[in-house]
Amino acid sequence: MTRTDRGAQNLLADLFPESRVIACVRHIPWIIDSIERYAVKNPYQPSLLYDYKSGGTVYMHVNNVTGPLGLVGYALDALRQAVHGMQASRLMLVQYESLVENPGMVLNEIYKFIGQDAFQHDFDNVHQETVSYDEKMGTPGLHSVLMVYGYVQTEVGSLCSHQTRPTSVLCKTWLQAHLIFCGLHL
């Protein structure tokens, strides 16, 4: 299910009464940081992330993705609705950081939630195929994963990493204030 709106949740429950929805969640500044890193890395690649418009400032990008129809804003509103909706008992939220730091434990919890027996995974041999999807989105390489499992810690604010540390802190503070203003609480 790609949409978590009211109609899709009820339809899913009607068609598949035993169904469950698992949503991977992450702190909003980290999501925006990832998106902006991609934009900085690919400045001449128009993509769906920014409505196929290249260029612009980090502030324009944040406004675009956090608006009600933006990639982050729409998803957050749909998630809020799912969490507080009639089908909330069918929903499991999985924190992204927990999944990458301890995938075995998280997957065992997911198997319990969906009522399936857990099985052993090979986290040192991970494959993911999203090349055609990323190309259609105008975001080649966006969903690339390392073949070998590992967790890499970085600092929020790296969306301004090409500038000095005080600017990164300023950017992070502006981002937090903007998200709160838009009703997107961290």
Side-chain angles (χ1 to χ4, degrees):
M1 182 172 83
T2 57
R3 297 184 59 193
T4 55
D5 62 37
R6 182 176 27 205
Q9 285 183 320
N10 291 334
L11 178 63
L12 188 62
D14 289 344
L15 293 175
F16 305 100
E18 301 300 316
S19 64
R20 300 286 181 261
V21 174
I22 301 161
C24 190
V25 296
R26 193 173 192 196
H27 292 289
I28 292 171
W30 285 111
I31 296 169
I32 294 171
D33 182 77
S34 294
I35 294 169
E36 187 58 22
R37 277 192 216 207
Y38 182 83
V40 168
K41 186 174 153 186
N42 301 284
Y44 307 111
Q45 175 70 47
S47 77
L48 186 60
L49 294 175
Y50 301 117
D51 203 19
Y52 294 104
K53 296 173 188 155
S54 60
T57 67
V58 65
Y59 306 104
M60 292 167 64
H61 295 169
V62 170
N63 288 333
N64 188 29
V65 299
T66 60
L69 298 177
L71 179 69
V72 175
Y74 180 86
L76 182 61
D77 286 346
L79 182 64
R80 283 183 185 141
Q81 188 164 323
V83 167
H84 299 290
M86 292 173 40
Q87 308 301 332
S89 64
R90 300 171 181 269
L91 176 66
M92 177 183 204
L93 302 180
V94 174
Q95 188 172 346
Y96 171 82
E97 290 80 8
S98 297
L99 179 62
V100 296
E101 288 175 12
N102 195 344
M105 182 204 61
V106 171
L107 287 174
N108 284 335
E109 292 301 315
I110 290 172
Y111 289 128
K112 286 180 198 173
F113 178 69
I114 64 173
Q116 297 292 316
D117 294 331
F119 62 91
Q120 201 65 20
H121 293 272
D122 181 3
F123 299 114
D124 291 325
N125 192 17
V126 178
H127 295 276
Q128 179 175 337
E129 174 56 47
T130 57
V131 173
S132 61
Y133 175 78
D134 286 355
E135 286 175 358
K136 288 178 189 172
M137 295 268 299
T139 56
L142 182 65
H143 293 103
S144 296
V145 296
L146 299 173
M147 189 174 210
V148 176
Y149 161 75
Y151 177 71
V152 178
Q153 176 102 18
T154 57
E155 178 183 341
V156 171
S158 58
L159 63 120
C160 301
S161 62
H162 59 284
Q163 301 175 6
T164 61
R165 172 102 174 103
T167 308
S168 295
V169 172
L170 174 65
C171 181
K172 180 170 56 173
T173 303
W174 178 88
L175 178 61
Q176 290 171 339
H178 176 76
L179 293 172
I180 291 169
F181 175 77
C182 292
L184 306 174
H185 300 284
L186 308 177

